[in-house]
Amino acid sequence: MAISTGSSTGLGEPEEASLEDRDDAEPYMDRESSIDMDSPLHSPLLPPDSSLSGTTQREHEELPRDHLKQDDYGRLKDTQPKVAKGTLSTSKLATSDAISRMHRFSLYETSTRFFLVGADVLDRKFRILKVDRTSEPGVLNVSEDNIVYTKKEMNQLLNAVDEGNRLSGGLKLRSSTWGLLGFIRFTGEYYMLVVTKRSQVAMIGGHYVYQIDGTELISLTTTGSSRFKTDRNSEEGRFIGILNNLDLTRSFYFSYSYDITQTLQHNILYARQAQQERRVDTSPQDQPTSPYNEMFVWNHYLLNSAADCLKNPYDWCIPIIHGFIDQATLSVYGRTVYVTIIARRSRFFAGARFLKRGTNDLGFVANDVESEQIVSDMVTTSFHAPGKRLWANPNYTSYVQHRGSIPLYWSQDSTGVTPKPDIELDLIDPFYSAAALHFDDLFRRYGAPVYVLNLVKARERTPRESKLLKEFTNMITYLNQFLPDERKIIYKAWDMSRASKSRDQDVISTLESIAASVLDVTGFFHNGDGCSSLVQMQNGVARTNCIDCLDRTNAAQFVIGKLALGHQLHALGIIEGTSIEYDTDAVNLYTHMFHSHGDSIAIQYGGSHLVNTMETYRKINQWTSQSRDMVESVKRYYHNSFLDGQRQEAYNLFLGNYIFVQGQPMLWDLSTDYYLHHIDPRLWLDQKRRSYINWFTPSYLASHTMPESIAPHDLENHTLPEIFLDDDYWLEYYKPLALSSFLKIFSFRMNSTLRYLPLRRHDNHHELSPFKVRLAADSESTDKANERKGVTIVDPLERSQDIQKGHSHPTIGSVEEHSLSLHEPPNHHNQPYSPPGILKDSSTLGNTVQSSLPNLGKNGKPAKDSLAVAQWTMNQFVTNSLSPSVADSEMAEYGRYISHPLNLPLVVSTEVPASSSLEFLTYINSVSLNASSIPHSHGEDIADYDEFLHVEENPLTVTDADTPKKRYKAYRQWLKGKSLFKQQRIDP
């Protein structure tokens, strides 16, 4: 995030993360005009036939435009035809006068105002928002125009603004953005936060979900006014520096048309309820209250300022979530299944690991994350089923889990150097009021019952986590005594850390049994119309926690999610059973996604990746995983000790927990942020006290039911385009006016199980199923096929056979093609495939070539275990040791070696052999010619040579005659009392 310098970014569309990540890199083409509306040489909203058309293209970009006066702007507005809200055309949706959503924005500026122009997905309908830059400090003056303009009308409007402000600097394209996040104020003026880069990460029901890759903070004041300059206000600059510590380009997501703050079950339920109530326009922007889940809207504080000034703030501002989103393809014999994982982090009581523990007074817990996995069969894209059954597509399923800190008042002092500070229970509430609020909120969000899986340690030498275990158990016991029997909180406590270190306990098996009981209680969501396809609802949720809600929690949620994945695939008709084995392509893909999900949550809360992964608990690759775990532990300790304070200040500022008030302490002067996240104790007396017995809301305990799907012909006085006005998935996903390629389409670039297919085949049959268990020898993937290229060891036996048949052999450094090809059988000439190797079966010695083949299974195919085939058994080894023999093939190989043409005869005489080759004769002649040029030795050289050859009777005795010799210099120094080793000067 950066402060704008006021320079123009040029005319064009906002920047994407990369060319490969762009979803709409190719321009939209208007049917009414042949102009490239997104070309960098043309403004998307200024006509090419303006008064500047006589200049060059570069001058056309840089010349300013004027600002239209207020009265001229009002008169021009009055001349445009106004469209009443909800007035829809009965023609095609693309030609209706209403605008559903704005997908891209262009920010223009003059000396006194900003103009934000929004365009729909087709760039054919536009709206405009005006922001005043001359307001007093602390005053936000924003006005929206409800008129929907065509492209021609918007061009005329901007040209009029340009001509009317020619003398004051003109109208410039400030930037092209993908969305407005809201307005924020520190000590004086307001700032506008916009998205400048984005990348696609998922597609749900034809609606794209984007990750923020770039933002810009733009000041709303005039840069020429000295009283608004930031450099004179050091406090303003320091607040901006604190806000820059929050990296909005990591794990922040948004969508224009799909509500990612709510679960899929809630979105489908909300849309069907709207049909039942005959409310056609179910767009979130048109509801009197925000339908978004404000718990997960991280720019809620920035949207409050826009909500105070705008009638429809969500028409212009987009809500964002913080967490994790990933999507991959499960390819089942050409049938495409999308697996999507969405993690939503709560903005309440948000913060770093040691700074936010337990719960606050309102029942919001630390590290509160909602994880949802959506599994959909992409036979049809939208949420609507064939036959005009709205919001009833039976190919969508989802499952939701929850994690959060233990809802007690506890903390840890991180000021010391201890990596694991002591746990302190700050307050003992006998009525557990905060926990009651927390579980009542879980009932509201997910229904009942709630399955609590507590994974903290039970037995410790020095009690730390066990303190919370006892108090947590007492809390559940107290709350359960007032709940109905069928809605009581299900509590399961298990010391997962101790079980993972024990040799007689299987962590995965225990978690799988717990996961089975969880799925039986909560169920999962499966959409349908209730007639041809049954509807299943998820009632309740699994709440998992450990001490940090990171490593152990992520492993437990993975096992529960893996079992839920099997049930979801079974409901879609993909697999026959409800379980999926480990080491299959489907589970490997899901493991990769869930590890990334856990790493993102761990970085956001703890500052490092997961310390203990599924490899740790499955006890595979222990040496590699242990070294990685140590590195991540050090990184986590460093972040918790030195960087968490800065991150917490950025959270408090961005989320609006701290708001500057004149005369109050600054954010950096606060010794603690306790009162920023808890209610002022003086306000408790004015609030109504909740009942200690009836602490829950009875209506929240009712089971969720899905309303029946209504066909469009059952809706009175409404046409089909009106129903689909809100769900414009067709235009957003297929982009009928866009020119693109497969490499730029997100669906073709998505991660898939195809990358896990093995390249090496042991038989003629290649298993493509993603639900087949892959052996260790089959685990090589396509993207790792060419990573290592080395020497290929060829067995002499196989080499001799191929020589006899006339086959060639690969050279050193080459790779055998038959082991990597997917289109050829592993061995030619209809012979069984034999894994290359040096060690052979004992039966090959002295037998025929056919008997040298490895042990074969049924139908002449090699056995599955290639390692066992290639190795000798102990009996064979002993037999060959006691009865050594030489095979005929080895004798033939030795004979070929001794008859090699490059072997030269030994020199036993000066006579040249008569059978010598031409090359040998040439070498002899060249040596004879050069023999005369060899220099002769002088007498001095011969004397020195004789000195080295002369050996005394006692060669180890050093005499006086040897002392002057150079090689005895060290010996002379030793006789004088000096050391034999060279002395080095030591610097003082």
Side-chain angles (χ1 to χ4, degrees):
M1 189 162 50
I3 295 296
S4 174
T5 58
S7 60
S8 178
T9 58
L11 302 177
E13 67 178 16
E15 185 179 358
E16 295 277 1
S18 62
L19 183 60
E20 291 79 7
D21 293 336
R22 294 179 59 178
D23 61 314
D24 47 5
E26 297 298 332
Y28 285 98
M29 300 299 294
D30 190 358
R31 292 192 178 99
E32 300 177 357
S33 174
S34 61
I35 301 173
D36 187 351
M37 300 308 299
D38 286 338
S39 173
L41 298 179
H42 297 280
S43 169
L45 298 176
L46 291 178
D49 55 351
S50 62
S51 59
L52 303 175
S53 59
T55 60
T56 62
Q57 291 177 339
R58 179 56 56 187
E59 292 173 350
H60 183 87
E61 287 184 10
E62 298 176 354
L63 284 178
R65 280 152 171 75
D66 294 330
H67 173 64
L68 185 66
K69 296 181 181 180
Q70 177 65 28
D71 52 347
D72 296 334
Y73 178 77
R75 287 197 299 268
L76 185 59
K77 285 176 56 179
D78 296 336
T79 60
Q80 305 298 332
K82 294 186 178 181
V83 180
K85 200 65 178 178
T87 303
L88 305 177
S89 173
T90 57
S91 60
K92 294 182 179 180
L93 177 61
T95 59
S96 63
D97 295 333
I99 179 171
S100 178
R101 294 178 184 87
M102 290 175 283
H103 287 250
R104 66 178 65 195
F105 303 85
S106 298
L107 182 63
Y108 295 89
E109 67 173 344
T110 64
S111 58
T112 57
R113 287 179 178 84
F114 279 114
F115 292 95
L116 184 65
V117 179
D120 66 345
V121 67
L122 296 179
D123 278 349
R124 307 186 71 172
K125 295 185 289 292
F126 305 89
R127 291 182 60 188
I128 190 169
L129 182 74
K130 184 179 66 172
V131 182
D132 191 3
R133 304 178 64 183
T134 60
S135 301
E136 294 295 327
V139 178
L140 179 63
N141 188 0
V142 181
S143 60
E144 60 180 327
D145 189 354
N146 293 327
I147 300 177
V148 178
Y149 297 91
T150 63
K151 183 181 300 181
K152 180 178 180 180
E153 294 169 348
M154 182 56 66
N155 287 334
Q156 294 176 355
L157 176 61
L158 293 180
N159 282 338
V161 173
D162 179 23
E163 295 297 333
N165 289 267
R166 178 77 61 180
L167 300 179
S168 59
L171 179 70
K172 299 179 181 178
L173 180 64
R174 181 63 181 81
S175 63
S176 296
T177 70
W178 293 113
L180 174 63
L181 299 183
F183 304 91
I184 189 172
R185 172 179 175 266
F186 303 117
T187 61
E189 64 271 16
Y190 273 91
Y191 297 86
M192 178 169 47
L193 186 61
V194 296
V195 178
T196 57
K197 296 181 182 179
R198 71 178 186 185
S199 59
Q200 294 176 351
V201 293
M203 190 277 296
I204 305 175
H207 307 283
Y208 283 112
V209 181
Y210 303 91
Q211 178 179 350
I212 297 177
D213 293 328
T215 58
E216 186 178 7
L217 191 65
I218 301 175
S219 175
L220 298 186
T221 60
T222 54
T223 57
S225 179
S226 60
R227 60 194 182 99
F228 293 131
K229 287 186 177 180
T230 305
D231 53 357
R232 77 167 185 86
N233 192 344
S234 60
E235 297 175 351
E236 184 81 6
R238 188 164 182 177
F239 275 118
I240 295 176
I242 292 175
L243 187 63
N244 287 333
N245 291 330
L246 178 62
D247 190 2
L248 291 177
T249 62
R250 297 185 61 178
S251 304
F252 283 89
Y253 308 90
F254 70 93
S255 177
Y256 298 109
S257 52
Y258 180 75
D259 186 2
I260 58 176
T261 66
Q262 302 280 9
T263 63
L264 177 63
Q265 176 175 304
H266 178 275
N267 290 334
I268 299 296
L269 181 63
Y270 183 82
R272 289 200 181 184
Q273 288 178 351
Q275 291 182 359
Q276 293 286 348
E277 299 173 6
R278 299 299 193 269
R279 293 180 304 172
V280 178
D281 194 355
T282 61
S283 174
Q285 295 90 332
D286 297 325
Q287 302 302 322
T289 59
S290 172
Y292 299 107
N293 192 344
E294 297 182 354
M295 187 178 193
F296 302 118
V297 179
W298 270 64
N299 58 336
H300 181 268
Y301 173 64
L302 282 73
L303 296 176
N304 286 339
S305 301
D308 296 336
C309 301
L310 301 176
K311 180 180 180 181
N312 302 309
Y314 292 103
D315 284 357
W316 301 96
C317 303
I318 53 176
I320 61 175
I321 68 170
H322 186 34
F324 173 81
I325 296 180
D326 190 18
Q327 190 175 61
T329 302
L330 193 65
S331 180
V332 187
Y333 295 107
R335 191 173 178 179
T336 303
V337 178
Y338 281 2
V339 180
T340 310
I341 295 180
I342 303 177
R344 308 174 181 92
R345 177 175 294 278
S346 172
R347 67 181 179 91
F348 299 122
F349 205 51
R353 179 190 178 197
F354 285 141
L355 301 180
K356 288 294 167 287
R357 294 293 208 183
T359 180
N360 63 0
D361 297 332
L362 298 177
F364 299 115
V365 297
N367 199 17
D368 190 320
V369 180
E370 175 186 274
S371 299
E372 179 185 15
Q373 63 183 46
I374 301 174
V375 181
S376 55
D377 187 358
M378 299 312 296
V379 175
T380 53
T381 303
S382 71
F383 295 123
H384 312 291
K388 301 180 181 180
R389 293 173 296 166
L390 304 181
W391 311 103
N393 191 347
N395 297 324
Y396 279 88
T397 64
S398 71
Y399 182 73
V400 180
Q401 301 185 66
H402 177 269
R403 73 172 69 186
S405 185
I406 298 177
L408 297 171
Y409 293 107
W410 63 281
S411 62
Q412 287 180 280
D413 186 9
S414 61
T415 57
V417 295
T418 306
K420 293 184 178 181
D422 293 336
I423 296 177
E424 299 293 339
L425 283 169
D426 301 328
L427 178 63
I428 304 298
D429 183 7
F431 303 104
Y432 302 101
S433 302
L437 292 173
H438 171 68
F439 280 99
D440 191 38
D441 183 66
L442 291 181
F443 290 148
R444 178 188 62 85
R445 291 156 59 184
Y446 309 110
V450 174
Y451 194 109
V452 176
L453 178 58
N454 187 13
L455 303 175
V456 299
K457 298 178 181 178
R459 292 174 17 180
E460 300 171 295
R461 294 182 179 179
T462 302
R464 292 181 61 256
E465 299 183 14
S466 56
K467 298 179 183 178
L468 300 178
L469 174 63
K470 180 180 179 181
E471 193 66 19
F472 196 9
T473 305
N474 295 335
M475 177 194 67
I476 297 297
T477 304
Y478 172 81
L479 296 179
N480 266 340
Q481 62 182 333
F482 307 112
L483 286 172
D485 293 338
E486 65 278 4
R487 293 292 184 262
K488 289 184 182 298
I489 301 173
I490 303 174
Y491 180 69
K492 174 67 176 180
W494 180 52
D495 192 345
M496 182 176 174
S497 177
R498 187 178 185 86
S500 63
K501 298 176 183 178
S502 177
R503 297 183 179 180
D504 57 347
Q505 296 190 41
D506 188 358
V507 175
I508 303 301
S509 299
T510 306
L511 288 177
E512 287 180 345
S513 62
I514 296 175
S517 61
V518 169
L519 264 295
D520 292 339
V521 171
T522 62
F524 64 96
F525 170 67
H526 183 201
N527 194 22
D529 58 359
C531 298
S532 59
S533 57
L534 298 179
V535 180
Q536 300 182 36
M537 302 292 292
Q538 178 177 347
N539 290 284
V541 70
R543 186 195 189 278
T544 310
N545 72 268
C546 54
I547 198 65
D548 294 324
C549 301
L550 296 179
D551 304 329
R552 286 169 282 178
T553 299
N554 198 76
Q557 285 195 341
F558 166 79
V559 176
I560 298 175
K562 171 182 168 294
L563 183 60
L565 176 64
H567 283 78
Q568 291 174 277
L569 293 174
H570 174 74
L572 295 175
I574 306 296
I575 60 177
E576 183 178 0
T578 58
S579 62
I580 312 175
E581 298 295 333
Y582 284 96
D583 298 323
T584 59
D585 295 345
V587 174
N588 290 338
L589 179 68
Y590 183 76
T591 303
H592 176 74
M593 297 176 63
F594 217 88
H595 278 183
S596 302
H597 158 267
D599 285 339
S600 299
I601 295 176
I603 290 175
Q604 296 161 15
Y605 185 63
S608 69
H609 295 84
L610 290 173
V611 174
N612 298 317
T613 61
M614 281 302 299
E615 293 182 350
T616 306
Y617 296 108
R618 291 185 63 191
K619 298 180 180 180
I620 57 177
N621 299 331
Q622 296 191 31
W623 290 106
T624 305
S625 60
Q626 286 180 3
S627 60
R628 175 193 174 278
D629 296 348
M630 294 176 60
V631 173
E632 295 301 332
S633 298
V634 174
K635 291 173 58 178
R636 184 173 295 183
Y637 172 74
Y638 172 77
H639 280 80
N640 298 155
S641 301
F642 303 103
L643 302 180
D644 280 356
Q646 301 177 5
R647 190 151 52 99
Q648 187 64 54
E649 289 182 347
Y651 282 151
N652 293 333
L653 187 61
F654 182 77
L655 296 175
N657 298 327
Y658 173 85
I659 301 176
F660 171 79
V661 178
Q662 191 69 31
Q664 296 295 327
M666 292 295 176
L667 177 61
W668 49 86
D669 293 333
L670 297 176
S671 58
T672 177
D673 64 346
Y674 177 86
Y675 294 103
L676 300 181
H677 297 269
H678 293 74
I679 297 179
D680 190 344
R682 295 171 293 184
L683 301 178
W684 278 105
L685 299 177
D686 299 333
Q687 294 184 356
K688 182 180 180 181
R689 184 173 302 177
R690 291 175 59 94
S691 173
Y692 295 141
I693 298 178
N694 299 322
W695 56 268
F696 57 91
T697 305
S699 60
Y700 297 161
L701 302 180
S703 299
H704 295 155
T705 57
M706 180 66 69
E708 295 182 0
S709 177
I710 301 178
H713 57 77
D714 295 333
L715 295 176
E716 300 177 358
N717 302 325
H718 295 297
T719 58
L720 184 60
E722 299 175 2
I723 300 299
F724 284 90
L725 176 62
D726 175 62
D727 191 17
D728 53 354
Y729 73 94
W730 179 272
L731 301 179
E732 184 176 359
Y733 179 65
Y734 292 101
K735 294 182 174 61
L737 299 183
L739 179 63
S740 185
S741 63
F742 284 144
L743 296 179
K744 297 177 182 179
I745 297 177
F746 173 75
S747 302
F748 286 87
R749 295 184 286 106
M750 197 183 305
N751 187 20
S752 174
T753 53
L754 296 177
R755 66 184 294 266
Y756 293 94
L757 288 178
L759 293 177
R760 184 178 291 113
R761 296 182 299 175
H762 299 292
D763 48 34
N764 295 333
H765 177 67
H766 189 70
E767 183 61 57
L768 298 176
S769 173
F771 307 107
K772 179 184 181 301
V773 178
R774 306 292 183 187
L775 300 178
D778 297 338
S779 60
E780 293 186 10
S781 57
T782 56
D783 55 354
K784 298 181 180 179
N786 299 323
E787 287 186 1
R788 297 186 60 185
K789 292 184 179 180
V791 177
T792 302
I793 301 177
V794 180
D795 197 349
L797 178 59
E798 296 178 354
R799 182 179 178 88
S800 63
Q801 297 175 14
D802 292 341
I803 289 177
Q804 296 175 2
K805 298 179 181 180
H807 293 172
S808 60
H809 294 270
T811 58
I812 295 177
S814 65
V815 181
E816 292 182 289
E817 296 180 356
H818 68 79
S819 62
L820 295 179
S821 176
L822 292 175
H823 306 286
E824 297 180 359
N827 204 1
H828 304 291
H829 302 288
N830 297 326
Q831 292 196 9
Y833 172 69
S834 176
I838 295 178
L839 299 179
K840 287 295 177 181
D841 190 83
S842 60
S843 60
T844 61
L845 303 180
N847 297 331
T848 61
V849 176
Q850 182 66 25
S851 62
S852 65
L853 294 175
N855 296 329
L856 299 179
K858 298 180 179 179
N859 302 326
K861 297 182 180 180
K864 293 184 178 180
D865 194 351
S866 60
L867 298 179
V869 172
Q871 293 180 353
W872 282 351
T873 62
M874 181 60 67
N875 295 333
Q876 293 170 337
F877 179 78
V878 173
T879 301
N880 293 329
S881 299
L882 297 178
S883 302
S885 60
V886 180
D888 296 339
S889 60
E890 295 179 356
M891 291 295 296
E893 177 65 19
Y894 179 72
R896 189 190 63 82
Y897 167 74
I898 62 178
S899 62
H900 199 278
L902 295 181
N903 290 336
L904 300 177
L906 297 177
V907 180
V908 295
S909 65
T910 58
E911 298 295 334
V912 179
S915 60
S916 301
S917 61
L918 180 62
E919 182 182 358
F920 181 69
L921 294 176
T922 305
Y923 169 74
I924 292 297
N925 296 333
S926 63
V927 172
S928 301
L929 295 175
N930 298 331
S932 59
S933 62
I934 300 177
H936 297 282
S937 301
H938 298 284
E940 298 177 358
D941 298 333
I942 295 177
D944 294 338
Y945 184 67
D946 292 340
E947 179 184 355
F948 284 97
L949 291 180
H950 179 70
V951 180
E952 301 290 342
E953 295 180 357
N954 297 323
L956 299 180
T957 303
V958 181
T959 61
D960 295 340
D962 298 330
T963 305
K965 296 181 180 179
K966 186 176 181 180
R967 60 179 177 269
Y968 292 103
K969 179 179 178 181
Y971 178 72
R972 293 195 304 269
Q973 298 292 337
W974 180 78
L975 292 177
K976 295 179 182 180
K978 298 182 179 180
S979 175
L980 290 174
F981 304 98
K982 185 177 181 181
Q983 300 293 326
Q984 298 290 342
R985 181 180 179 183
I986 301 177
D987 295 335

